[in-house]
Amino acid sequence: MSQSDKTVRLTTAQAIIKYLAAQYIEIDGRKVRLCGGGFGIFGHGNVTCLGEALYDHKEELPLYRGQNEQSMGFAAAAYAKYHLRQRFMFCTASAGPGTANLLTSAALAHANRLPMLMLCGDAFLTRLPDPVLQQLEHFGNPTLGVNDAFKAVSRYWDRISHPAQIIQSLPAAISTMLDPADCGPAFLGLPQDVQGWVFDYPISFFDEKTHRIRRQLPDTEELADATSLLRTAKRPVIIAGGGVQYSKAVAELTSFAETHQIPVIETIAGRANMLADHPLNIGPVGVTGSNSANTIAEQADVILSIGCRLQDFTTGSWTAFSKDARIISLNAARHDAGKHQSVPVVGDAKLGLEAMDAAMVGYKAPAGWTKSAQQERGKWDKYVSDNVAHGNRPNSYAQAIGVVNALCDPQDRIVAAAGGLPAEVTANWRTLGIGTVDVEFGFSCMGYEIAGGWGARIAQSESEPQQDTIVFCGDGSYLLMNSDIYSSVLTQKKMILLVLDNGGFAVINKLQNNTGNESFNNLIADTPTVPEAFGVDFEAHARSMGANAETVSNPAELGDAFNRAKAAEKTSVIVMQVDPYEGWTAEGHTWWEVGTPHVSDNPKVQAAHEEWESARVKQRKGV
């Protein structure tokens, strides 16, 4: 019998796990498993078969016990983001509500283009025991169930109806998760009976395989069109997005900008492409941006977008740029490269920048333009310095950010997500280390903060155990999803968590007020169905989950507490109240389309609508 004819009899579940354990990737000269392990909560839909298979591979694929399926998905996304999409984690959930809980985190991974493998229980393929516990019955379509909902939030979706299917489906799922253009979550529905069915798999299917991330060279004609346009620029600017980091093109971006003296502005996902003190780093752009970046964005005649989705917070709902400005988009994804009538350059950022640099020999941006941009950055630095300072004014997010920024190690990782903190971190954080900032704003998802911090710390502990993962979290997000404080203590994956309590959903209250509406149902004190408002003792709650915890009264005390947390060996939670009305970063914002009432009996709402709409004249209309 030839080697290719040799087989091994395994259950579907055993074969899936055996295959995952044999997949590797080379990162910076070091061969590591492609799958770092997984997060799991067992139920009747995955414990008997998939659980049995995972037990036999618990050393190669460590399984972290989750507290909530949604938070497991967030942790997996943060893990993949730390590893620049070169490694992923799987999440396994039981059929029914366990799997349904993963929908939000799958959407987050999809929006942020992050790999995550979902191995989820499904209804019995034979239907012999139907209807079963937790099954949704669709009378006219018995094939339809909860798992079909994941088609909208997955880059790859399959329901395994025969053990042999994984020979095709598993490699396809991994190929999708590693594709720079199509990267995102992959979903495999595993019917409970099929998980235990057996098949004689070719032994060669389980041979070790070392994967590589594809790097696509740009088309020569697209490159020629782009460089020809860029050479005409009198006021060029580079928008650097998260794709720069994923392609490991930070050095090429810096070299290109320095050679051609082109100012660089950053998106939220690209917030740590350049250090804060680099002379060509002009700041973050857009709704949560800086006066410096937004000023030059509005004046630019040619915009080179690199690795950007160009979402509304970057573009100010397409008001941040002159209507006459031309856009060049260098992106691995064709969909992103062609947005808003851009001149597309479909290809890898690293190779694309090298090719553009070679074609741009002799070009430099006019010195006056670059100097003007740097002067704007100087003004913004002064604003931030004043904004984060503390003294005789109410506690604010910006002050807390300034304290941590001054005391943390340059290589510590910063995690933030929904609410007001993403804007405040983006505007006020001074980048100390490349790739050290994770502000989840692709899906802007409450609950990512603590769970994402846990996932990021798991990844960080693999290569930088001496560093810290620092999480900024509002009270609203804490109350939504906090159980991974317990997870981090259980697994000895230390985090430093700052809980900044402003008494509710204060940033949405701010938007509510800015559009002329009265405060209603956002701050706890302004909720009519709350007879007597009171706060949560976050310190006591965090202590109950095994963490160190303390409450501070002001930024000075916060600094002392942060130093204690740095010295501690387990997760520390620091609580500080901040003002819900005063202390917001008031500068650096572009217009943002939010949809206001076109008619209202409230004159304040009507006036706010008219003022909001007055900025629409600046909006570019594209595709």
Side-chain angles (χ1 to χ4, degrees), residues 239 265-268 283-295 297 311-317 319-321 426-427 587-592:
I239 302 180
I265 55 183
E266 294 180 320
T267 69
I268 297 173
V285 66
V287 178
T288 60
S290 57
N291 288 346
S292 50
N294 288 332
T295 296
Q311 61 124 302
D312 64 341
F313 261 62
T314 297
T315 66
S317 301
T319 63
F321 317 119
T426 301
E587 299 292 332
H589 308 314
T590 59
W591 185 74
W592 182 38

Side-chain angles (χ1 to χ4, degrees), residues 317-318 323 327 338-342 619-623:
S317 301
W318 289 103
K323 290 183 179 179
I327 301 173
K339 285 176 179 172
H340 263 253
Q341 301 174 10
S342 296
Q619 192 173 41
R620 292 168 61 109
K621 295 176 176 63
V623 293

Side-chain angles (χ1 to χ4, degrees), residues 343-358:
V343 175
V345 183
V346 180
D348 175 68
K350 184 184 182 79
L351 298 183
L353 279 166
E354 289 175 344
M356 292 186 83
D357 189 47

Side-chain angles (χ1 to χ4, degrees), residues 252-506:
E252 288 72 20
L253 165 70
T254 304
S255 175
F256 185 86
E258 290 174 347
T259 299
H260 306 291
Q261 287 295 290
I262 301 177
V264 178
I265 55 183
E266 294 180 320
T267 69
I268 297 173
R271 188 60 183 82
N273 281 321
M274 276 184 155
L275 300 184
D277 59 1
H278 193 286
L280 291 172
N281 182 353
I282 310 303
V285 66
V287 178
T288 60
S290 57
N291 288 346
S292 50
N294 288 332
T295 296
I296 67 164
E298 189 173 21
Q299 296 173 0
D301 58 353
V302 178
I303 298 153
L304 173 57
S305 167
I306 307 172
C308 302
R309 292 193 305 132
L310 295 175
Q311 61 124 302
D312 64 341
F313 261 62
T314 297
T315 66
S317 301
W318 289 103
T319 63
F321 317 119
S322 165
K323 290 183 179 179
D324 296 326
R326 299 291 305 279
I327 301 173
I328 302 165
S329 284
L330 169 58
N331 204 292
R334 170 190 55 80
H335 174 77
D336 294 315
K339 285 176 179 172
H340 263 253
Q341 301 174 10
S342 296
V343 175
V345 183
V346 180
D348 175 68
K350 184 184 182 79
L351 298 183
L353 279 166
E354 289 175 344
M356 292 186 83
D357 189 47
M360 294 288 293
V361 172
Y363 173 83
K364 284 192 177 182
W369 165 248
T370 305
K371 182 179 180 181
S372 173
Q374 291 169 332
Q375 289 171 340
E376 291 295 332
R377 176 59 196 252
K379 296 176 189 175
W380 180 251
D381 285 343
K382 175 64 168 63
Y383 174 81
V384 169
S385 179
D386 293 340
N387 200 38
V388 301
H390 51 87
N392 295 323
R393 58 195 181 110
N395 296 343
S396 69
Y397 283 165
Q399 292 170 15
I401 290 163
V403 168
V404 174
N405 213 169
L407 296 175
C408 73
D409 186 275
Q411 293 305 312
D412 286 344
R413 188 164 187 82
I414 307 304
V415 178
L421 276 164
E424 296 295 311
V425 170
T426 301
N428 294 287
W429 186 263
R430 293 183 55 80
T431 300
L432 306 174
I434 296 298
T436 55
V437 178
D438 176 4
V439 176
E440 193 290 297
F441 223 56
F443 207 53
S444 181
C445 202
M446 290 178 66
Y448 176 84
E449 297 90 339
I450 298 172
W454 182 42
R457 179 56 190 161
I458 292 171
Q460 184 186 52
S461 64
E462 295 170 350
S463 55
E464 299 177 295
Q466 73 281 7
Q467 304 305 147
D468 281 307
T469 294
I470 302 164
V471 177
F472 288 100
C473 184
D475 53 302
S477 283
Y478 184 103
L479 289 171
L480 181 81
M481 192 166 291
N482 54 62
S483 57
D484 285 321
I485 295 174
Y486 179 54
S487 301
S488 73
V489 178
L490 274 178
T491 57
Q492 297 183 4
K493 303 301 181 187
K494 173 196 169 184
M495 298 187 294
I496 300 175
L497 170 61
L498 278 74
V499 181
L500 302 176
D501 179 5
N502 54 27
F505 305 138

Side-chain angles (χ1 to χ4, degrees), residues 94-113:
S94 181
T99 287
N101 281 344
L102 273 168
L103 269 167
T104 301
S105 43
L108 178 141
H110 191 287
N112 286 280
R113 320 284 174 89

